[in-house]
Amino acid sequence: MAILVILIFLSIILFEVPRLVREEMWRELAVFSVLLAIGFSISLAQAMGLPIPNPTKIIETIFGF
């Protein structure tokens, strides 16, 4: 399953990154890279059966609910 996640993310990179570089959209490329890295990390952890923290607790900590 982890191999499938890696292949999917590689295909996303191969589809999106060349256009961003060709059009010199550096800020968009940086944001895309950060969001893709976060999504890849969470997806790979889930595919490997690792526990993923609840994002609600993080939001509650930040905003003090």
Side-chain angles (χ1 to χ4, degrees), residues 2-53:
I3 301 295
L4 183 61
V5 170
I6 293 169
L7 290 175
I8 290 170
F9 275 88
L10 281 176
S11 65
I12 292 171
I13 290 169
L14 291 174
F15 182 74
E16 290 293 332
V17 171
R19 182 182 59 86
L20 292 173
V21 171
R22 185 174 50 250
E23 295 179 12
E24 297 181 359
M25 301 174 81
W26 307 119
R27 291 180 186 161
E28 289 82 356
L29 181 61
V31 171
F32 174 78
S33 299
V34 168
L35 293 176
L36 191 76
I38 292 169
F40 177 72
S41 301
I42 293 171
S43 298
L44 191 59
Q46 187 174 17
M48 294 174 62
L50 299 174
I52 300 172

